[in-house]
Amino acid sequence: MVFKRRNKPPVLHRIRDALYPRKGWSRPFEYVGHRIKRLPDTPHKIALGFSCGVFVSFSPFFGLHFFLAAICAVMVRANVLASLLGTFFGNPLTFPFIATISLSFGRRLFGLRSSGHDFVRVKDAFSDAFAGLWQSTKSIFGFGPSAWDRLADFWSSVFLPYLVGGLAPGLICAIAAYTLSRPLIAAYQARRKSKLLARARERMLARQAKADAAE
């Protein structure tokens, strides 16, 4: 490939850059904000799409946030691309807070004890669940015993509380994202439109002056 890097960085460096980019997290956030403001749609649809992505970030469907955000955007007739950009609200910096709030709140709703280490619980539970799923899949073909009991415990103690507990904080953050982003997008679009009109007027006046000079 033409744009493929010749010398790939070590795996540890790539993991480090994914968790904390060399230029910090401010640059990715600035890029997302810039892209959102320049989307060709109404401020309402763009802000609503962005809030869909924020809301989905509080769900435990890791790896499916893009897909779920797009579905939510289609359902409420919002901008789909803005919803994809909104999922960047869930990132390595915010995920510890999202996981802790969602799981703690969900476990309280289900009458379960909150340990105060819910972020660690989420990481361990998901890794254990994937291991149990892999082991159970292998057992179907006769490779060792199944581990479906581990998945049942994961469902009742982590996944379902996380799913239910993330609804309220996700909705609150989504409403806040819509309320804050819509006027900013509207102001940006109005300012950009005025600049484009001013440039078009300057070009028209320049052509008119050139035509008058030719006469």
Side-chain angles (χ1 to χ4, degrees), residues 74-163:
V74 171
M75 290 176 62
V76 298
R77 298 182 180 180
N79 187 283
V80 174
L81 183 56
S83 71
L84 302 184
L85 293 173
T87 60
F88 283 94
F89 182 82
N91 57 74
L93 287 181
T94 60
F95 175 67
F97 302 99
I98 292 175
T100 300
I101 292 171
S102 300
L103 185 57
S104 299
F105 185 52
R107 289 181 66 83
R108 291 178 186 276
L109 291 177
F110 280 88
L112 302 174
R113 183 179 177 183
S114 181
S115 65
H117 302 284
D118 287 318
F119 174 58
V120 179
R121 181 192 295 272
V122 169
K123 292 193 300 180
D124 295 341
F126 270 89
S127 61
D128 186 64
F130 282 119
L133 180 61
W134 175 242
Q135 179 60 39
S136 300
T137 303
K138 291 193 299 181
S139 70
I140 298 176
F141 301 96
F143 297 98
S146 64
W148 295 114
D149 56 330
R150 292 160 66 179
L151 296 177
D153 180 67
F154 165 75
W155 170 265
S156 60
S157 63
V158 176
F159 188 86
L160 193 57
Y162 192 123
L163 178 63

Side-chain angles (χ1 to χ4, degrees), residues 127-209:
S127 61
D128 186 64
F130 282 119
L133 180 61
W134 175 242
Q135 179 60 39
S136 300
T137 303
K138 291 193 299 181
S139 70
I140 298 176
F141 301 96
F143 297 98
S146 64
W148 295 114
D149 56 330
R150 292 160 66 179
L151 296 177
D153 180 67
F154 165 75
W155 170 265
S156 60
S157 63
V158 176
F159 188 86
L160 193 57
Y162 192 123
L163 178 63
V164 176
L167 294 177
L171 184 60
I172 293 173
C173 289
I175 293 174
Y178 176 85
T179 304
L180 293 174
S181 62
R182 181 174 178 176
L184 293 176
I185 295 169
Y188 175 84
Q189 288 184 347
R191 186 169 64 252
R192 188 164 183 262
K193 184 177 180 180
S194 63
K195 288 182 179 180
L196 292 175
L197 288 175
R199 292 175 185 174
R201 191 178 299 110
E202 290 176 0
R203 287 195 296 267
M204 185 178 65
L205 292 175
R207 285 196 298 267
Q208 185 64 37

